Amino acid sequence: MTTYHQRVAQEKRALIVTAATALFLELGYDRTSLARIAECSGVSRATLFKQFPSKAALFDAIVTESWSTADEEDPPPAGNVVDGLGIIGRRYAELLSRPQMTDLFRIVIAELPRFPELAHAQFSHGKMPYFESVRSYLLAEHEAGTVQVEDVDLAATQFLGMISNYVFWPTLLVPGWEVSAERVAQVVDEAVHTIAARYAATGPGASTND
């Protein structure tokens, strides 16, 4: 496939995902047909079915794109937990602030009683891979002696939870909820220093972070 055709295919894919997300929110997952999505996205049915043979495949794409980071970078190298968690925390806050992330959770919550598989897809293809990247970073810091974390699953949950509980979850419940960039930065900074203090390494040779 030429570069031009790749670009066209990517543009059509984006149109399809955007149209599907809007229709799932408006009509519900069950009442939205692939034919309707093709019509609203301005592509042929053949084009849509070529990229997404089923609604499940299309929803998986929505999940994947909602959770993808802009730079697709791996977690920062171990050595300075404050700097590393700062990078991860800011990336996570930016991710949660995207409108498509709120849309994704609203679709999953609304359709959960009838389509629990959507929640499983959101968890296994979105939340869990991202969580695993944070977990792996904390484990690397632990092995490097920067922090002392016996339960990396718990530590990762604590860190991400401190950010999402302020930045994201109220947007699902409180109309017009907004958090300024300055406040987001403060929330991330406090989460970083709370984890760094809680899991600070002790003893000879322990690393310290400003």
Side-chain angles (χ1 to χ4, degrees), residues 100-188:
Q100 60 263 42
M101 184 62 77
T102 305
D103 291 344
L104 171 63
F105 272 82
R106 284 176 174 159
I107 292 170
V108 169
I109 293 170
E111 300 292 355
L112 183 59
R114 292 178 298 169
F115 300 99
E117 64 270 21
L118 299 186
H120 290 300
Q122 198 279 122
F123 186 80
S124 62
H125 298 312
K127 173 68 175 180
M128 199 59 196
Y130 192 90
F131 176 85
E132 182 59 31
S133 71
V134 180
R135 179 189 179 281
S136 297
Y137 169 76
L138 287 172
L139 181 59
E141 290 285 10
H142 173 77
E143 293 175 344
T146 313
V147 292
Q148 186 173 354
V149 185
E150 299 300 331
D151 191 337
V152 290
D153 287 353
L154 178 59
T157 300
Q158 290 169 334
F159 179 62
L160 297 178
M162 281 188 283
I163 297 171
S164 63
N165 282 349
Y166 196 98
V167 174
F168 177 72
W169 290 111
T171 64
L172 295 178
L173 303 173
V174 183
W177 175 270
E178 294 183 2
V179 183
S180 68
E182 293 77 14
R183 187 61 167 170
V184 170
Q186 181 185 9
V187 169
V188 171

